[in-house]
Amino acid sequence: MQKNAIILAAGKGTRMKSEKNKVMHMLIDRPILAYPMDALKKAGADRIVIVAGYKADSLKQAFADAEFAMQEEQLGTGHAVMQCTVLKDEPGYTLVMNGDVPCLKAETLERLYQEAENHSLVLLSAILEDGAHYGRVVRNESGQVQAIVEAKDCTPKQKEIKEINAGVYCFNNRDLFDSLGELTTNNAQHEYYLTDLVKILAAKGKSVQAIAADPDEMAGINTVSELAQVYTWMKDNINRYWLEQGVQIVDPARTVIGKDVKFGHDVIVYPDTHILGNTVVGDFVEIYPQTWISDSSIGDHSRIQASIIDNASVPEHSSITHQVVKEGTDIQA
C-alpha cells in the first residue's frame, strides 16, 4: 500500500501577529512544521507534499529536501489539496493534515493509514464538552458519518454535537481526486471546504469512517498563547518519558529536553538546563544548572556546569565549568 501525505501550510496565521509563516515559529528546538513531517515519516509515508503560500521561501529553505505545491490564493482547505496535482495518479492512500499540529503521534497516523484500507475516507475526531469553533461530525441514526459541518455553518442543534473534526483525513487517493472537482464555495466563508468531501463521498455510497483520538494530540497552534501551551505539554511529556526511563530530572518544570535527545543510565539533570537537537548523553553524567547543550555527545562520567556545548564531542570523564564548547574545541578531560 502506497502512503502519500499532504501537509497544509500555506496560510499566514494572522492571529500569531507575526510576519513569519505560522509553522516556522520555533517549538523547543525546531519549527512547528518539523513535528508533523517527522511523524508522517515514522508512520511510513512514502511521499509527502507541503502546500506552501505565504512566505513559501522560508519553508523551502528550512525543508530543502521536501516536495512542495504552491497555493497562491488561500481559498480554503479543498483548494489547497487541489494544488497537489503531482499526486493525482498515485496509487494507495493520501493523508491530509495541517502543519500546525505538532503533538500528533506517528502511531496515530499509522493507525489512520491502516483504517483507510477498508474505507473511502477515514478522519480523526475528538470528543469535547464544548465544540467551540471546530466543525461537527454529523452521523445518521445508524452511526455512519454523513457530513462535517463547519462551526460557522452549524444550526443551533448541530452546535450541541460533542464529536468534533480534528482536521486529519486519510483518503483513498483515487476517490479524493475524482471528487475534488465537486467542491463548491457555497458556505459562510465562500471557500472550498475539504470537509465537504465527507458528504459528497457518503452520497455516492462510499464508506466514510471517523475514529476518535486523544484531544491533546489534536492541539493546533493559532496564537502565541497556544504555542506556549503546546510547548508546556510537549516539554512535560518528554520529561515524563525520561523520568520513567530512570533519568533523574531534579525539577522537570525548569528543564527542557528535545524530542531526539538520548540518555544513558544514571544521569542527573539539574534545573535551568536545555538539552536539545541530536544530543547523546552517556552514562553517569551530571548536568548542572545554567547549561545549554545542542547536537553534541557527552561522554560517560562527565560533569557539565553553567556551560554551552554546541555541536561538540565531550570526552569521557570531562569536567566543564563556565565554558563555551563548539565543534573543534580542544577539551581536556
Side-chain angles (χ1 to χ4, degrees):
M1 176 185 75
Q2 176 154 327
K3 299 177 181 178
N4 310 303
I6 296 171
I7 301 179
L8 308 182
K12 178 180 181 180
T14 54
R15 291 167 61 193
M16 296 292 285
K17 302 187 185 306
S18 168
E19 288 300 310
K20 293 181 180 179
N21 183 302
K22 175 172 64 174
V23 300
M24 289 305 298
H25 283 78
M26 295 298 290
L27 176 57
I28 297 185
D29 57 2
R30 66 203 69 196
I32 293 169
L33 182 57
Y35 291 92
M37 285 283 289
D38 184 56
L40 281 166
K41 290 175 181 177
K42 289 181 178 177
D46 300 295
R47 191 173 183 185
I48 302 171
V49 178
I50 301 171
V51 181
Y54 179 76
K55 298 282 187 178
D57 286 346
S58 65
L59 273 67
K60 291 180 178 179
Q61 289 173 10
F63 300 92
D65 297 333
E67 190 172 358
F68 286 87
M70 297 302 300
Q71 186 187 23
E72 301 298 344
E73 284 187 276
Q74 277 72 67
L75 301 177
T77 51
H79 180 258
V81 174
M82 289 176 190
Q83 312 313 305
C84 299
T85 54
V86 292
L87 295 177
K88 185 175 181 180
D89 298 318
E90 290 288 347
Y93 302 85
T94 297
L95 192 151
V96 183
M97 64 183 296
N98 293 317
D100 64 353
V101 281
C103 301
L104 262 171
K105 297 177 181 177
E107 295 83 356
T108 303
L109 300 181
E110 188 174 8
R111 179 187 171 202
L112 199 56
Y113 276 124
Q114 292 171 349
E115 291 285 341
E117 292 186 41
N118 301 313
H119 304 280
S120 179
L121 164 61
V122 179
L123 58 98
L124 289 183
S125 66
I127 308 300
L128 301 180
E129 282 303 312
D130 180 6
H133 60 279
Y134 295 103
R136 305 315 199 264
V137 177
V138 179
R139 298 177 182 266
N140 61 18
E141 294 177 355
S142 62
Q144 299 297 309
V145 177
Q146 296 296 293
I148 301 293
V149 181
E150 299 297 333
K152 293 182 180 180
D153 298 305
C154 280
T155 65
K157 186 167 183 61
Q158 287 171 336
K159 286 185 178 179
E160 296 175 4
I161 296 173
K162 294 182 179 180
E163 185 177 17
I164 61 96
N165 172 34
V168 186
Y169 319 89
C170 196
F171 293 88
N172 175 290
N173 196 61
R174 175 51 52 214
D175 290 338
L176 169 62
F177 282 95
D178 283 350
S179 302
L180 278 174
E182 299 176 45
L183 295 177
T184 71
T185 57
N186 185 25
N187 52 60
Q189 296 290 93
H190 302 293
E191 294 181 345
Y192 295 98
Y193 290 162
L194 187 65
T195 49
D196 285 347
L197 288 181
V198 174
K199 188 173 184 179
I200 290 169
L201 292 170
K204 293 178 179 179
K206 302 281 188 178
S207 176
V208 179
Q209 176 68 289
I211 54 176
D214 182 351
D216 286 338
E217 284 190 57
M218 305 301 129
I221 297 172
N222 295 294
T223 65
V224 289
S225 177
E226 290 174 349
L227 176 59
Q229 292 169 13
V230 169
Y231 177 98
T232 299
W233 182 90
M234 188 170 288
K235 174 180 70 67
D236 291 347
N237 273 267
I238 293 171
N239 288 350
R240 188 179 304 113
Y241 169 81
W242 284 113
L243 285 166
E244 292 170 354
Q245 303 308 308
V247 176
Q248 185 180 342
I249 303 173
V250 176
D251 187 348
R254 294 163 58 193
T255 303
V256 181
I257 299 170
K259 65 185 286 293
D260 292 329
V261 173
K262 303 297 180 188
F263 290 98
H265 60 79
D266 294 285
V267 173
I268 301 177
V269 180
Y270 288 90
D272 302 322
T273 56
H274 287 67
I275 309 171
L276 310 172
N278 292 304
T279 292
V280 178
V281 178
D283 303 330
F284 298 102
V285 171
E286 298 178 3
I287 300 175
Y288 285 85
Q290 307 301 324
T291 295
W292 187 94
I293 303 172
S294 180
D295 295 317
S296 298
S297 63
I298 309 299
D300 298 346
H301 299 277
S302 292
R303 182 179 182 274
I304 315 293
Q305 181 170 340
S307 296
I308 295 173
I309 314 292
D310 184 15
N311 196 27
S313 181
V314 175
E316 295 181 1
H317 298 281
S318 294
S319 181
I320 297 174
T321 303
H322 299 293
Q323 293 187 43
V324 176
V325 179
K326 297 190 176 183
E327 184 177 15
T329 301
D330 184 20
I331 302 171
Q332 299 299 320

